[in-house]
């Protein structure tokens, strides 16, 4: 049985720009169909069910090559998440309807630097 990849984003300061990042899915699911959709949810680690940020195709995620299962989490300028530890999951959906949790992990949002 395939496992979900674990990935942790580097720490980021609130209000900073999170650079775009490209991913490519490999394996059985990717070879059986084309990529139709990608969904990503961030939530505070201690808050079950409370989604702090949702990214979807055309809204924070771009499928760059459906045939090779490449997608990009687009740049987020001025990240507005409150300082905390966030967990996320990435769900991929094939054109044939099969769904797979591709990756999960975390990200720390830190307080911005003080201004003197």
């Amino acid at each position: 049985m395939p496992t979900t990849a674990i990935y942790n984003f580097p720490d980021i300061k609130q209000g900073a720009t999170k650079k775009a990042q490209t991913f490519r899915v490999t394996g059985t699911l990717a070879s059986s169909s084309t990529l139709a959709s990608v969904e990503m949810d961030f939530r505070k680690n201690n808050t079950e069910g409370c989604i702090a940020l949702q990214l979807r195709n055309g809204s924070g995620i771009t499928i760059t090559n459906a045939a090779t299962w490449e997608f990009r989490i687009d740049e987020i300028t001025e990240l507005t998440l409150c300082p905390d530890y966030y967990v996320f999951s990435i769900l991929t959906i094939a054109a044939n309807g099969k769904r797979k949790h591709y990756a999960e992990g975390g990200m720390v949002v830190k307080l911005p630097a003080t201004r003197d």
Side-chain angles (χ1 to χ4, degrees):
M1 172 181 238
T3 59
T4 302
I6 303 295
Y7 182 83
N8 292 305
F9 288 106
D11 295 356
I12 187 168
K13 290 182 181 178
Q14 182 186 35
T17 297
K18 187 196 163 311
K19 295 183 180 185
Q21 188 153 3
T22 300
F23 293 87
R24 183 172 184 205
V25 180
T26 58
T28 308
L29 183 61
S31 65
S32 66
S33 185
T34 58
L35 179 62
S37 184
V38 181
E39 301 174 358
M40 183 177 192
D41 295 332
F42 285 89
R43 64 180 172 80
K44 286 185 180 182
N45 190 40
N46 298 328
T47 313
E48 186 175 328
C50 184
I51 297 172
L53 177 64
Q54 290 184 314
L55 305 176
R56 305 284 185 263
N57 297 356
S59 182
I61 294 178
T62 302
I63 295 175
T64 53
N65 190 323
T68 61
W69 283 64
E70 289 181 3
F71 65 93
R72 179 183 66 235
I73 299 169
D74 299 329
E75 179 177 276
I76 300 172
T77 56
E78 295 185 34
L79 184 71
T80 58
L81 293 174
C82 293
D84 210 326
Y85 179 74
Y86 291 85
V87 294
F88 70 86
S89 62
I90 300 174
L91 176 70
T92 56
I93 303 168
N96 64 11
K98 290 186 179 179
R99 302 164 68 89
K100 167 138 178 35
H101 283 276
Y102 167 67
E104 59 186 31
M107 178 177 73
V108 173
V109 177
K110 296 180 174 186
L111 283 170
T114 59
R115 296 183 182 141
D116 297 306

